[in-house]
Amino acid sequence: MKQLFCWTLAAWDVPSPTRMFSSLWNFVKRHKRKFIFTGAAVGGVYLLGKYASSKIRQLQEKEANHYIAQARRQFHFESNQRTCNLTVVSMLPPLREAIVKQLNSENLTGILKARPANKVEIWEDLKIISFTRSLVAVYSTCMLVVLLRIQLNIIGGYLYLDNSVGKAPEAPKAPAEVQQQYLSSIQHLLGDGLTQLISVVKKSVHDSLDGVHLKESLSLSELERHVSGIRAQVEACPQRPLSSYMMAPDDDALSDQACGLTEKDVLTIRLLDETRDVMDSPDFGAVLSACLQRGFTRLLDNLARFFHTPLVDRDPNRLPSVSLPLAKIIPVVNGQIHTICSETPGHLVQELLMNDHVKEFAANVYDSFSA
């Protein structure tokens, strides 16, 4: 039996453990380079996978942070535009009061009720004042909308930077006192700038309407030609651009101080200079022109309702052909200021605030100062 078992082992030639390890070692030595290359490749793939996973995670976090920052910025911008709209509406009553104070037609209408001897002379004064104050109301309302869009978006952009997450601490670009001092420059439009604008418009109205008698009839198209002629004279003067009525040409009282300028004064002057730079840009001129075109179109649309045309004569592609005596047009024109500068936003103010040119311009200003 023992011989049979030994014979069986010999027949199968089962290797001993020593021989097995020796064979394996010889195999490894023969294919050493392949094993090294394979090991390096597998290790490299593993490390590359870990590196790729880390980079992908970083990119995802960076992209998420970018979207969050963009969402914050967009939310801040939209909130800033709502502030702009509310500020414009709140400034309309003071603007109307300032215009009426300098162009008080109510005193003249009160005198006319007493039937004075110089009635025609008073009517002539009323004609000039009525047209002047309605046209000035359109000009100044458009200027107010555009100027506040510039100022509040410059401040809004700086406030976004001052409150940005992860921003290195430094002195704020628009502290509260500087904002107040800077925004107070709007008083030029309601003060000296308005007085200058009234003077220029009044002269142009006089040049255009002086020869038109009170009993002379005007159609809406003829009225439009007079308004266009007045506008051309007001806006064509290179020595007095429309921006000069919106901001004082110098840094007001701050620049007159020979010494003792505080840090806040310096910041305010910088903001004023940046505002003038924006107002010197072609975009500003294009936006203001678009607003004025919309404003005077709305004024004529308001007047058109008083030119009653029979239904059979109406053509939607043409202005009404009915004519009215100038004496009847004057009271209608005189009352337009209360529609244009109303504390309850009328069609004109709503159209200006929602105008695509104004919105795009505001976004560009905000982007420039919040980047």
Side-chain angles (χ1 to χ4, degrees):
M1 187 70 174
K2 182 177 179 181
Q3 291 176 346
L4 177 63
F5 179 71
C6 291
W7 178 86
T8 304
L9 286 174
W12 282 96
D13 193 22
V14 177
S16 66
T18 303
R19 289 178 60 192
M20 288 178 62
F21 281 116
S22 177
S23 298
L24 181 62
W25 177 246
N26 289 333
F27 177 78
V28 169
K29 285 197 297 183
R30 285 197 307 272
H31 300 282
K32 179 173 65 174
R33 290 186 177 181
K34 293 181 180 179
F35 275 106
I36 291 173
F37 177 78
T38 302
V42 171
V45 169
Y46 174 75
L47 292 175
L48 185 62
K50 294 248 331 175
Y51 177 77
S53 298
S54 174
K55 278 296 180 184
I56 290 172
R57 191 162 52 250
Q58 289 178 11
L59 289 173
Q60 288 174 337
E61 291 175 357
K62 185 177 180 181
E63 187 175 2
N65 290 335
H66 174 73
Y67 282 128
I68 292 172
Q70 287 294 96
R72 277 188 70 247
R73 194 159 175 253
Q74 183 64 26
F75 176 80
H76 186 261
F77 170 73
E78 292 174 355
S79 175
N80 199 52
Q81 302 323 295
R82 290 191 289 271
T83 301
C84 286
N85 294 345
L86 292 173
T87 305
V88 168
V89 173
S90 69
M91 293 295 294
L92 288 175
L95 176 62
R96 184 184 66 236
E97 291 173 10
I99 296 172
V100 170
K101 184 178 180 180
Q102 296 196 52
L103 295 166
N104 193 335
S105 62
E106 284 70 21
N107 286 343
L108 296 178
T109 54
I111 294 173
L112 283 174
K113 290 178 181 178
R115 297 183 179 181
N118 59 341
K119 184 172 64 173
V120 174
E121 181 183 342
I122 294 175
W123 265 104
E124 288 292 333
D125 290 342
L126 183 61
K127 175 181 68 176
I128 302 302
I129 288 178
S130 297
F131 276 88
T132 300
R133 77 176 193 171
S134 290
L135 298 182
V136 167
V138 174
Y139 272 116
S140 55
T141 299
C142 293
M143 291 175 182
L144 183 71
V145 169
V146 179
L147 180 56
L148 284 174
R149 272 293 187 274
I150 296 173
Q151 289 188 311
L152 291 177
N153 278 291
I154 288 177
I155 289 179
Y158 280 145
L159 286 178
Y160 176 80
L161 290 179
D162 288 341
N163 296 287
S164 293
V165 177
K167 172 180 169 291
E170 60 181 43
K173 297 178 180 294
E177 290 182 23
V178 170
Q179 293 178 44
Q180 185 176 2
Q181 196 173 37
Y182 168 58
L183 290 174
S184 67
S185 65
I186 196 76
Q187 293 302 319
H188 178 76
L189 178 57
L190 277 67
D192 292 343
L194 184 65
T195 301
Q196 295 161 5
L197 177 62
I198 287 173
S199 176
V200 172
V201 174
K202 191 173 184 179
K203 180 182 182 305
S204 300
V205 169
H206 187 275
D207 292 344
S208 179
L209 297 177
D210 185 46
V212 182
H213 300 293
L214 297 171
K215 294 182 180 180
E216 184 175 338
S217 293
L218 296 175
S219 65
L220 190 58
S221 59
E222 290 171 329
L223 197 59
E224 183 182 27
R225 282 197 295 272
H226 281 288
V227 171
S228 297
I230 294 167
R231 284 192 61 190
Q233 190 172 336
V234 171
E235 298 168 30
C237 181
Q239 289 78 25
R240 191 173 287 280
L242 295 180
S243 60
S244 67
Y245 307 118
M246 301 164 67
M247 284 191 70
D250 300 315
D251 295 320
D252 55 52
L254 293 176
S255 63
D256 295 333
Q257 299 179 25
C259 60
L261 280 178
T262 66
E263 184 180 351
K264 293 183 177 61
D265 293 335
V266 173
L267 288 176
T268 302
I269 291 173
R270 187 199 68 196
L271 289 174
L272 293 170
D273 288 340
E274 289 171 338
T275 303
R276 293 189 185 93
D277 289 341
V278 174
M279 293 169 68
D280 287 338
S281 69
D283 287 346
F284 166 79
V287 170
L288 183 57
S289 294
C291 289
L292 291 174
Q293 188 59 39
R294 182 64 260 168
F296 285 107
T297 298
R298 171 52 60 185
L299 175 63
L300 289 166
D301 286 345
N302 291 346
L303 298 177
R305 293 179 303 172
F306 297 90
F307 286 76
H308 303 294
T309 308
L311 291 175
V312 293
D313 292 338
R314 286 188 182 173
D315 182 346
N317 298 317
R318 293 190 307 170
L319 292 172
S321 57
V322 169
S323 297
L324 293 176
L326 181 58
K328 287 189 176 182
I329 298 174
I330 290 172
V332 177
V333 173
N334 187 52
Q336 290 303 305
I337 188 172
H338 300 290
T339 302
I340 296 168
C341 301
S342 172
E343 53 269 19
T344 303
H347 293 296
L348 173 58
V349 174
Q350 292 181 36
E351 289 169 358
L352 294 178
L353 296 179
M354 300 304 294
N355 186 280
D356 289 337
H357 295 285
V358 173
K359 288 182 176 181
E360 183 179 353
F361 179 65
N364 290 339
V365 173
Y366 183 87
D367 287 344
S368 297
F369 290 90
S370 65

